[in-house]
Amino acid sequence: MKSMDLAVNPLDQAFYRERLGFLPRRMIDMHTHAWLRAFYRPSAVRPRGPTWPSRVADENPVEDLLQTYRLMFPHQVVTPLIFGAATRSYDLEQNNRYISQVAKRHRLPSLLVTTPEWSAQELERRATEGGFIGLKPYLEFAPENIPADDITIFDFLPHRHLEVANAHGWIVMLHIPRRARLRDPVNLEGMLEIEARYPNIRLVIAHIGRAYCPEDVGDAFTVLREAKRMVFDFSANTNAWVMEQLLRAVGPKRVVFGSDLPITRMRMRRVCEDGFYVNLVPPGLYGDVGDDPHMREVDEEEGRQLSFFLYEELAAFHQAAQAVGLGAHDISDIMYHNAADLIVGAGGQLD
């Protein structure tokens, strides 16, 4: 699937009508990527994150992002928080400039994709001149000599950057590293350190700390009960049990909706096998997936029954919300008001 070849079929319409009727009229999507294929620059550095997301779209202009919402959520008005492609494979300078321009044109809040090589002064200049309200660091930009399994949060989000973000009260959208994901004690220690040392940062932990399977959680929510401010988005996560544990641990005021578009336009259903997530996809739709352990094709009949990744994510969230007894007001907070507070508090504006 390349760029915006999105079609909503009768199965999708039924899924939306029958399973997503709980969605409020207004939504804020706290986790979206936008970029152009013209920014592509082959990198000699081996990717540290999964490679399967690149199969969904080779670009995502902001116009495609906004059209995705119109097609997938015909009864909602969705405002995205946008940032660039967090990978060395795309020109960082061009992508951040593009995000700054389209965010201003469409009156959207945006984050600056960062590299730890920048000084504090350079980071501050780029963020303020570009009109960004926060930072999107990513493990891909950690120094090349550090093995992927040894990367710490502060290898790609240095303290000098955190000090600038704290001074401005910015949002920091954090995708945590390391094989053990949310249960990793080094990650948990780093998350709690950021909260303790930088009280003005609006810290958002992406993907519920990459806890896509129950085995990824460990005792994380017991440890994180010490935290009082950090927020979690459930972007690209379809595990209702993990979402339920999150809601029980932190409550509905510290959870926000994120999609991770465009990858959640994928047609798929996710399963966990011994703590390892696998995306089940229609045959042939995403090329040869035989070399990707996170991808597996189903047969033609099952493939015709697969809807959007994003719909699966939201259905899982609704299941978790029902399990903990959330009401319509709580869901509206998670889908809109909590994010609005973060954006406005960081200096952004919403129409």
Side-chain angles (χ1 to χ4, degrees), residues 73-86:
F73 302 106
H75 300 302
Q76 278 71 43
V77 176
V78 187
T79 300
L81 173 69
I82 62 172
F83 36 89

Side-chain angles (χ1 to χ4, degrees), residues 1-62:
M1 182 179 290
K2 300 299 183 183
S3 191
M4 188 58 184
D5 52 355
L6 181 70
V8 179
N9 63 34
L11 179 139
D12 305 319
Q13 294 168 343
F15 195 126
Y16 174 78
R17 182 176 62 252
E18 296 167 10
R19 302 182 64 184
L20 303 183
F22 70 93
L23 293 174
R25 170 70 174 166
R26 293 190 304 169
M27 296 162 53
I28 293 176
D29 183 346
M30 282 289 287
H31 195 130
T32 70
H33 299 271
W35 75 96
L36 302 180
R37 66 172 65 92
F39 305 154
Y40 179 70
R41 299 290 183 272
S43 173
V45 180
R46 185 176 180 178
R48 284 153 160 167
T51 58
W52 60 265
S54 64
R55 298 175 181 273
V56 182
D58 61 356
E59 68 173 356
N60 192 41
V62 71

Side-chain angles (χ1 to χ4, degrees), residues 307-326:
S307 189
F308 300 118
F309 190 168
L310 183 48
Y311 281 7
E312 294 282 347
E313 174 192 318
L314 288 166
F317 164 71
H318 190 222
Q319 181 180 336
Q322 289 180 308
V324 301
L326 297 191

